[in-house]
Amino acid sequence: MTDTGEDMRSYARPQTLDEAIGLLAQGQHRILAGGTDLYPSAGMQLDGDVLDLTAIPALSGVTHGAGLRIGACTTWTAIAEADLPPALRCLQQAARQVGGRQVQNAGTIGGNLCNASPAADGVPPLLALDAVVELSGPGGTRQVPLTHFLTGPRQTLRATDEVLTAVILPDAALYGQSSFEKLGARAYLVISIAMVAARIQVTNGQITKAAIAVGACSGVAQRLPAAEAALTGAPVAEAAARVRAADVATALSPIDDVRASASYRIVAATELVRRAVTGALA
Amino acid sequence: MQISLDINGSLRDVYLDPRTTLLDALRSHLGLTGTKKGCDHGQCGACTVLLDGRRVNACLTLACMAQGAKVTTIEGLGSSDALSPLQAQFLNHDGFQCGFCTPGQICSATAMLEELAAGWPSHASTDLEGPFPLSHAEIAERMSGNLCRCAAYSNIVDAIQNAAKDGDAK
Amino acid sequence: MSLGKSLPHDAAPLHVTGQARYVDDIPLPATALHLAFGLSTIAHGEVTALDLSAVRAAPGVVAVYGPEDFDPVPDCSPSAHDEPMISTGEVLYLGMPLFLVAADSHLAARKAARLAKVSYTEKPALLTVDDALAANSRFEDGPVIWAKGDAARAIATAPHVVEGQFELGGQEHFYLEGQVAACLPLEGGDLLVHASTQHPTEIQHKVAHALHLPMSAVRVEVRRMGGGFGGKESQGNALAIACAVVAARTGRPAKMRYDRDDDMMITGKRHDLRLLYRAGFDDRGQLTGVAFTHLFRCGWAQDLSLPVADRAMLHADNCYHLPHIRIESHRLKTHTQSATAFRGFGGPQGMVGIERVMDHVAHALGRDPLEVRRANFYAPAEPVASAGGASPPGPPEDISEQAIGAGPVPPSPDETVDLTSRGAVEGQPERGVAPASPGAQTTPFFMPVEDFIGHELVARLVETSDYAARRAAIADWNAASPILKRGIALTPVKFGISFTLTHLNQAGALVHVYQDGSIHLNHGGTEMGQGLFQKVAQVAAGVFGVDPYAIKITATDTAKVPNTSATAASSGSDLNGMAARAACLTLRDRMAAFIAGKHQVKADAVRFEGGRVRVAGESYGFDQVAAWAYLARVSLSSTGFYATPKLQWDRKAGKGRPFLYFAYGAAVTEVVIDTLTGENRILRADLLHDTGNSLNPALDIGQIEGAYVQGAGWLTTEELVWDGKGRLTTHAPSTYKLPACSDRPDVFNVALWGRPNREDSVGRSKAVGEPPFMLGISAFYALSDAVAACGPGYPALDAPATPERVLAAVQRVQAHV
């Protein structure tokens, strides 16, 4: 019943960011920012020292300043419950669809990004919100657009001695309205076959800006520049009709996997884009 | 490492590998086997416990991370002599068949009723401002993190609805 | 009278407080070892080198066992002795155990098991039905063929013909409590096994066989399972055997629990198959002839595949009289997990086939599928006087003397044959064909259908569900709704009750009355959530006239009741209820004779009711009479036994009466589909199900609801996917989609038929475990109906009807010109 005979590793739960960065500089750590993604994938291979970031007050919460700053250890529940502008509705909708409530209470936005699953629920809304991530390490702090940060399935630009400290949404991205759509074989608690976030700005009945991102259809979630261009300038009433499968497909390289075939994903994603756009305009 | 956990109102000291999950700590080190291991992947909800009143999957939580929080397990919600309102309603409405998911369902529903009392919206709420009538759809969404393979869902929903009514009546 | 009451599960207070103990909750001594298997990473080939040195050196490891450590490697099969506990060199599926690790913690064993260095010579793997057919890889020499009439001629001369084929997926049990067993070594080499199993006697037999012990040296105890669904009929053998082997060799207790992904990778699932059909019919849709071919993918070992595939053939008719039918059943051997028992045991697969024919015929004729179904129903049952009312638990009768007819002398026992396994079909004596009731229509296997209540039952459901009006309203709604389409379907169920291996239809019970009047009940059935213990306790309480809570229900224990059959085939209450009743009647008769003697009246004048014993105008407490009986040296312990009457079955010929009776039901499901994404959901389900005189309506309704959701899940969201190398890629709940709370229909009406069983079953009840699973088939055909609203073509849906498949079907019917 006991785990005797195993080498005991250390567990650190620093209260400050400096302390955390100092520990990272001393050697390899598995970073815990809620643990909901890490533990299932690492499972019993959770070897090595563990660095738990969830006790650092500065990493939690949403603050307004130049843009909007979401601490990396802000839980999905906290995001869903926060009072945020309508442009962030897609992010709040996604927050309520990350697993069950148990997972939303523990899982964090930073953990979701660093884990870099192709089907991470948080990514499409953040792409549609032009998110920038803030990384802190021994050499200081740097900001990287989310589109660059995610380099591939389970791969990011985070250096091993860096901590993702915050997600920053620039002022310009806080306008308009947004919507999130997720498709799965079951209404809740699924890793998605396809999901879409759309943020739309409208002036005088015409779309002036469209930001659309699709997840689970490619190794990394993608913005859809062609679809966005087709929507820009469109009258609101014509928006859904402007969404074409070809514009969706060009940006994606959908994967055939256990959850769905590539051709189905394109069809489904196109329809979800229409619905997300319509939802954002509602 | 030596850690100290506040479980069901009493402080328990336990020595374990820091990578031990709260679930394994409860079941293998503290003799609290009411919390069940269903999938170990945070997907089935059988291991749901409350941390400071909020529901989490004990299989996704390291025991170390629970230090400083109040941990409540099914054993802490009530006993055969003094059932909690939800426990009583699960019994009255046959809210289970094989019973393996039941402790997790009851812990999860306990937190859910607290969430409702606090007025938090859910994905299924049509109106993000509330108030939230406790419809079957609302319960289904809020309880989506707890699977029941016997599919005793009708009775589970009935039990929760009735417990909520009892709570309102008080 | 405790029968027919909606009492909660006996263990309800334990379940809601977390005190109900499952195998993994049983405290073991600190010396206990924890076991894990190391698994193959290829589907087919030879192990050329198995280097376990790193495994042995891993922290916490106490012992590691490879094939060379056994002579021979213990067999885990419930049938053909083709399942070595670990591979003997040949790898037959991806996930096959190769070696066994014993360590001082579960985690240590699991981690160590990943450290082996295994070299293989890989061979081409047969993964699909087509692969297996091409290689003629199968169990049994060739397909099993049953025929009645002349199907080919009837189809050839029919006014209309439909034909087609479709794929029907498997299903993961996903019992929430995974497979687990523990073994404690006792003195003198005896063993006590705690197992999460539906079949304690099978575990006892296999453990004894593995260790060359008599069965009497092995005791198996099962208090409860956290779900079984058929997945714990044979699939727990390997864990119990591994624990027993390690306990015997080390002298330390041993426990083995599969983690969820190991469980899904190692154990068998429901059989998937390809189903081909060809049917001839007239203008009304009445079938004149039908031919089915079942191509079952059975996996690497025989397990229970033969009786499963048999039962699919036995349900190829469902509720329909088919005078000319031919069924050809292939049991294909593939390099995948060994498919096994799952609620319905092949019956659902067979039934989906004939319902597909009904759906297709109706589409071809442009008629309501319900009309076509009704046109083909069996003739209604003739009223039977004896079936008029409930059978009260008295007057005393000696059920144990109801021996089954003098059959042929069975073959002499062979200790290697699993006499109590459903897989032991080869050990089955052939029996003569039961004489047909004159005039009664017969099934494709020549069993008279004497109890068909489908006409009345469906008529009631059509009315209570408002089927006709809703069907019309849906057509209107669809006409105005270009993107969302609704569909509705009513499908009936007729499910045969009894083990098709006739000798398994027996059960025993052991009942004690203590001197203080408390009652201890034990029987051979196991509890997995179905409420069996509560039902049997209600039967016992009824006999003694005491409160059901006065009955102490105890763990199933091979030392108390021997030679039990699996708690399977929905037979738990039928068999064990009758056996317990027999034991209770024996005891009650003794007590009645004793107290009657004191009062110098006849024993049948004694009444047991309300916890009292009434005789000659006096009323005594049950406890008082028990104490007096003890003092008067009356034995207060009795066994009881039951053997199902009337059964005769020849599986090779496909002729006889394999079932005592049929359980019936019908369901109406309404769905909506999104024609642009294929997403779909169930809007409403109305179920009407026949449980005879229900022993416990609340438990029965729970079974029916749960079975429906599970059945609908099988045909809609639950998809198993293997990659081209034979690796199961849906081996976690994140990718394998069980019905969640939100998948329960928004409107869910469930009712019991409420009329007694014609046969003399316990309390005139009917078995309920499996039959309502097939009510879920209505969800599948409601989806077909919704897809059919999108265009002129026939939907030809494959199962499970995932959004992707629904969308493909929508595009198919739209493309049809």
Side-chain angles (χ1 to χ4, degrees):
Chain A
M1 294 289 226
T2 58
D3 292 351
T4 50
E6 293 184 32
D7 51 336
M8 282 288 191
R9 297 297 186 135
S10 79
Y11 166 82
R13 197 180 196 199
Q15 307 286 313
T16 68
L17 182 59
D18 286 347
E19 211 183 321
I21 291 169
L23 283 165
L24 270 184
Q26 290 167 24
Q28 285 273 353
H29 280 79
R30 292 305 291 263
I31 298 182
L32 273 187
T36 58
D37 275 336
L38 180 67
Y39 198 72
S41 59
M44 39 182 258
Q45 290 159 346
L46 187 63
D47 283 323
D49 297 334
V50 173
L51 179 62
D52 178 0
L53 299 180
T54 57
I56 302 173
L59 293 187
S60 289
V62 181
T63 46
H64 299 260
L68 198 107
R69 180 188 172 92
I70 306 174
C73 290
T74 308
T75 64
W76 293 114
T77 294
I79 289 171
E81 291 168 5
D83 186 14
L84 299 172
L88 272 70
R89 204 178 74 147
C90 59
L91 183 63
Q92 292 187 294
Q93 287 173 322
R96 273 301 178 226
Q97 297 188 48
V98 180
R101 292 306 169 99
Q102 292 94 323
V103 170
Q104 294 165 18
N105 284 341
T108 62
I109 189 168
N112 198 237
L113 294 181
C114 289
N115 192 46
S117 161
D121 297 85
V123 174
L126 291 174
L127 288 175
L129 290 161
D130 298 327
V132 171
V133 301
E134 181 186 270
L135 297 160
S136 298
T141 293
R142 59 177 178 144
Q143 293 196 347
V144 181
L146 181 59
T147 44
H148 296 171
F149 176 73
L150 299 168
T151 54
R154 312 253 168 218
Q155 289 165 9
T156 71
L157 282 182
R158 186 182 71 84
T160 51
D161 60 356
E162 280 182 313
V163 173
L164 191 155
T165 43
V167 178
I168 294 157
L169 307 180
D171 263 331
L174 303 180
Y175 295 95
Q177 302 193 92
S178 73
S179 181
F180 178 76
E181 294 280 339
K182 179 171 173 177
L183 180 132
R186 194 174 62 199
Y188 301 106
L189 200 70
V190 291
I191 293 179
S192 188
I193 293 168
M195 56 191 157
V196 172
R199 181 174 60 87
I200 308 285
Q201 286 170 244
V202 176
T203 309
N204 298 328
Q206 279 206 323
I207 293 175
T208 52
K209 168 145 180 81
I212 297 165
V214 175
C217 289
S218 42
V220 178
Q222 297 290 331
R223 284 280 287 262
L224 303 180
E228 291 173 3
L231 281 166
T232 307
V236 164
E238 286 178 25
R242 294 275 183 108
V243 177
R244 293 190 309 263
D247 291 340
V248 175
T250 49
L252 303 177
S253 49
I255 22 184
D256 262 321
D257 74 357
V258 297
R259 291 190 277 270
S261 68
S263 58
Y264 175 65
R265 276 197 158 94
I266 290 292
V267 173
T270 305
E271 184 53 32
L272 289 191
V273 170
R274 287 195 191 103
R275 290 177 188 181
V277 167
T278 308
L281 291 168
Chain B
M1 64 187 280
Q2 185 81 25
I3 67 167
S4 186
L5 294 171
D6 177 348
I7 300 176
N8 299 329
S10 57
L11 275 181
R12 304 279 301 269
D13 291 326
V14 59
Y15 184 80
L16 34 76
D17 185 302
R19 292 160 297 177
T20 308
T21 61
L22 179 58
L23 177 59
D24 286 338
L26 290 170
R27 291 185 53 79
S28 301
H29 299 269
L30 294 161
L32 292 169
T33 55
T35 306
K36 301 302 179 195
K37 183 171 279 199
C39 71
D40 236 2
H41 285 69
Q43 293 278 340
C44 77
C47 65
T48 303
V49 299
L50 308 182
L51 281 191
D52 289 333
R54 290 215 166 183
R55 43 183 163 159
V56 298
N57 292 313
C59 74
L60 296 183
T61 308
L62 294 182
C64 311
M65 298 169 74
Q67 292 179 99
K70 287 190 183 307
V71 183
T72 309
T73 68
I74 187 71
E75 291 93 343
L77 289 178
S79 63
S80 303
D81 305 332
L83 297 175
S84 79
L86 265 163
Q87 287 173 324
Q89 293 296 350
F90 268 72
L91 192 150
N92 291 342
H93 292 269
D94 258 338
F96 50 83
Q97 286 178 22
C98 79
F100 200 79
C101 73
T102 311
Q105 299 274 4
I106 292 176
C107 282
S108 189
T110 300
M112 187 200 86
L113 294 183
E114 292 296 321
E115 289 163 18
L116 281 166
W120 300 336
S122 83
H123 174 64
S125 304
T126 45
D127 176 3
L128 289 176
E129 300 303 315
F132 312 109
L134 199 49
S135 67
H136 277 220
E138 181 73 24
I139 293 174
E141 191 280 327
R142 290 177 179 272
M143 293 296 291
S144 67
N146 290 83
L147 296 174
C148 171
R149 184 46 153 165
C150 305
Y153 294 123
S154 290
N155 293 350
I156 291 170
V157 169
D158 287 349
I160 295 171
Q161 270 187 326
N162 279 284
K165 273 185 213 153
D166 291 352
D168 287 346
K170 277 175 196 163
Chain C
M1 183 68 196
S2 62
L3 288 190
K5 283 195 181 157
S6 288
L7 302 170
H9 281 82
D10 56 292
L14 301 179
H15 284 308
V16 301
T17 55
Q19 296 175 75
R21 201 177 261 183
Y22 300 80
V23 172
D24 196 36
D25 303 335
I26 297 171
L28 292 181
T31 55
L33 295 172
H34 299 260
L35 313 185
F37 285 129
L39 308 182
S40 77
T41 54
I42 65 164
H44 186 209
E46 295 285 337
V47 174
T48 52
L50 183 61
D51 176 0
L52 301 175
S53 50
V55 184
R56 290 199 167 89
V61 170
V62 172
V64 181
Y65 304 96
E68 70 286 352
D69 294 309
F70 300 98
D71 183 27
V73 172
D75 174 66
C76 304
S77 161
S79 55
H81 307 292
D82 57 351
E83 291 184 45
M85 180 184 76
I86 53 176
S87 164
T88 55
E90 193 180 16
V91 174
L92 293 169
Y93 75 105
L94 199 157
M96 186 174 191
L98 302 180
F99 60 93
L100 175 64
V101 186
D104 59 15
S105 80
H106 177 78
L107 199 59
R110 288 255 303 159
K111 282 184 171 180
R114 296 205 172 176
L115 300 176
K117 293 187 184 69
V118 189
S119 308
Y120 305 95
T121 309
E122 209 165 339
K123 295 179 187 170
L126 307 175
L127 301 175
T128 64
V129 158
D130 294 312
D131 293 345
L133 278 176
N136 195 33
S137 170
R138 59 175 73 239
F139 298 101
E140 301 186 297
D141 297 335
V144 174
I145 298 169
W146 295 348
K148 181 181 157 186
D150 186 344
R153 186 186 153 91
I155 296 167
T157 56
H160 313 279
V161 173
V162 291
E163 64 183 322
Q165 66 175 53
F166 64 112
E167 309 287 335
L168 202 45
Q171 187 174 27
E172 164 64 34
H173 301 86
F174 216 102
Y175 22 65
L176 216 54
E177 176 209 31
Q179 301 279 356
V180 56
C183 180
L184 291 106
L186 307 177
E187 65 179 20
D190 290 1
L191 298 167
L192 169 61
V193 178
H194 295 283
S196 182
T197 178
Q198 295 171 240
H199 201 346
T201 293
E202 172 75 1
I203 297 277
Q204 181 192 22
H205 168 76
K206 297 306 294 188
V207 165
H209 184 248
L211 293 170
H212 311 293
L213 293 171
M215 285 173 75
S216 57
V218 180
R219 196 182 129 212
V220 179
E221 193 178 295
V222 183
R223 175 58 186 91
R224 63 172 59 82
M225 282 162 272
F229 313 115
K232 292 175 180 170
E233 182 166 346
S234 64
Q235 301 297 297
N237 292 358
L239 299 91
I241 291 168
C243 289
V245 165
V246 172
R249 292 196 180 194
T250 63
R252 293 165 69 169
K255 177 157 81 174
M256 187 172 208
R257 172 173 65 73
Y258 289 162
D259 272 49
R260 182 59 60 180
D261 25 12
D262 278 359
D263 200 317
M264 294 180 81
M265 291 300 280
I266 296 171
T267 65
K269 296 132 199 1
R270 181 186 294 284
H271 288 72
D272 58 49
L273 76 158
R274 181 181 301 156
L275 205 148
L276 291 72
Y277 61 93
R278 184 170 160 81
F281 54 100
D282 66 17
D283 294 341
R284 286 181 59 239
Q286 188 149 21
L287 296 193
T288 54
V290 60
F292 285 113
T293 302
H294 296 169
L295 301 173
F296 275 101
R297 207 168 61 120
C298 299
W300 69 282
Q302 184 172 302
D303 188 69
L304 305 174
S305 290
L306 306 190
V308 166
D310 285 355
R311 194 171 269 268
M313 300 172 84
L314 289 165
H315 290 82
D317 60 334
N318 196 12
C319 290
Y320 312 110
H321 181 232
L322 307 169
H324 298 283
I325 179 168
R326 181 179 186 280
I327 314 164
E328 182 176 310
S329 172
H330 298 254
R331 293 88 194 263
L332 300 167
K333 186 175 184 174
T334 51
H335 295 113
T336 48
Q337 289 83 354
S338 179
T340 190
F342 197 137
R343 205 174 196 173
F345 204 69
Q349 289 96 317
M351 213 175 276
V352 171
I354 188 66
E355 293 303 337
R356 171 60 168 266
V357 169
M358 294 295 153
D359 193 60
H360 199 166
V361 166
H363 190 269
L365 293 172
R367 296 176 65 122
D368 179 350
L370 178 58
E371 290 173 30
V372 173
R373 290 187 164 104
R374 284 171 139 170
N376 285 285
F377 271 175
Y378 281 107
E382 295 290 328
V384 172
S386 68
S391 168
E397 59 187 271
D398 192 351
I399 293 170
S400 64
E401 291 304 309
Q402 279 185 10
I404 44 176
V409 179
S412 53
D414 169 353
E415 63 161 31
T416 65
V417 172
D418 296 272
L419 291 174
T420 60
S421 164
R422 286 204 264 185
V425 291
E426 300 307 326
Q428 180 177 14
E430 293 188 11
R431 291 175 178 275
V433 175
S437 303
Q441 291 175 336
T442 61
T443 65
F445 45 96
F446 300 93
M447 173 173 164
V449 179
E450 298 165 325
D451 60 1
F452 188 71
I453 54 172
H455 296 273
E456 308 151 83
L457 189 146
V458 165
R460 194 198 289 175
L461 181 63
V462 164
E463 194 169 317
T464 57
S465 67
D466 203 17
Y467 173 85
R470 285 168 59 204
R471 188 171 171 80
I474 287 167
D476 292 346
W477 192 89
N478 283 344
S481 173
I483 292 170
L484 300 181
K485 297 286 184 190
R486 293 189 179 195
I488 190 168
L490 185 156
T491 59
V493 170
K494 163 181 136 289
F495 192 78
I497 301 300
S498 292
F499 285 104
T500 57
L501 186 53
T502 301
H503 77 255
L504 298 182
N505 295 289
Q506 59 172 308
L510 175 65
V511 178
H512 307 317
V513 174
Y514 292 96
Q515 55 188 293
D516 65 352
S518 63
I519 299 164
H520 175 111
L521 168 64
N522 199 273
H523 55 78
T526 55
E527 178 64 50
M528 60 196 104
Q530 81 277 44
L532 171 65
F533 282 17
Q534 182 62 36
K535 283 184 169 183
V536 177
Q538 287 177 243
V539 170
V543 175
F544 289 120
V546 299
D547 188 291
Y549 297 108
I551 310 281
K552 181 74 180 177
I553 304 171
T554 57
T556 315
D557 185 339
T558 57
K560 288 184 180 170
V561 175
N563 307 321
T564 58
S565 297
T567 307
S570 306
S571 68
S573 310
D574 280 17
L575 296 176
N576 296 291
M578 283 300 235
R581 181 164 171 263
C584 295
L585 286 172
T586 301
L587 290 176
R588 192 184 71 178
D589 287 352
R590 286 184 200 150
M591 294 171 77
F594 156 73
I595 198 79
K598 280 184 70 166
H599 286 271
Q600 300 188 326
V601 296
K602 286 190 168 177
D604 59 10
V606 181
R607 287 281 167 271
F608 291 74
E609 53 199 19
R612 309 291 296 176
V613 181
R614 298 180 205 285
V615 56
E618 298 286 344
S619 170
Y620 306 109
F622 184 83
D623 53 347
Q624 179 67 69
V625 177
W628 285 336
Y630 164 71
L631 291 170
R633 295 191 290 175
V634 173
S635 165
L636 292 176
S637 175
S638 177
T639 60
F641 185 76
Y642 176 72
T644 311
K646 299 186 180 180
L647 304 177
Q648 287 182 302
W649 175 239
D650 177 348
R651 76 169 282 268
K652 288 230 166 83
K655 287 182 179 170
R657 177 174 183 158
F659 306 124
L660 178 60
Y661 63 88
F662 294 102
Y664 295 91
V668 177
T669 299
E670 182 176 342
V671 299
V672 63
I673 65 168
D674 181 327
T675 60
L676 298 177
T677 63
E679 288 168 294
N680 55 78
R681 64 180 289 113
I682 295 173
L683 298 173
R684 173 173 169 179
D686 293 76
L687 318 182
L688 178 57
H689 195 77
D690 163 31
T691 60
N693 283 340
S694 174
L695 292 174
N696 183 319
L699 291 177
D700 282 352
I701 286 175
Q703 284 293 299
I704 293 163
E705 289 179 348
Y708 170 87
V709 171
Q710 205 174 62
W714 168 48
L715 294 168
T716 57
T717 66
E718 296 185 36
E719 185 178 29
L720 290 163
V721 180
W722 284 264
D723 70 12
K725 291 296 225 176
R727 174 182 295 276
L728 178 70
T729 52
T730 47
H731 56 79
S734 52
T735 45
Y736 184 76
K737 295 163 189 104
L738 308 178
C741 192
S742 49
D743 294 305
R744 188 188 58 104
D746 295 337
V747 181
F748 202 11
N749 300 314
V750 183
L752 301 178
W753 177 237
R755 298 196 196 161
N757 191 348
R758 288 165 64 101
E759 297 294 337
D760 188 15
S761 58
V762 60
R764 297 271 173 189
S765 65
K766 285 193 180 183
V768 70
E770 291 164 296
F773 179 89
M774 284 148 277
L775 298 175
I777 294 171
S778 59
F780 184 64
Y781 290 104
L783 287 170
S784 180
D785 188 51
V787 173
C790 300
Y794 181 65
L797 263 182
D798 289 320
T802 57
E804 183 171 1
R805 290 213 178 89
V806 168
L807 187 64
V810 167
Q811 291 167 343
R812 217 159 33 234
V813 305
Q814 287 171 339
H816 185 93
V817 180

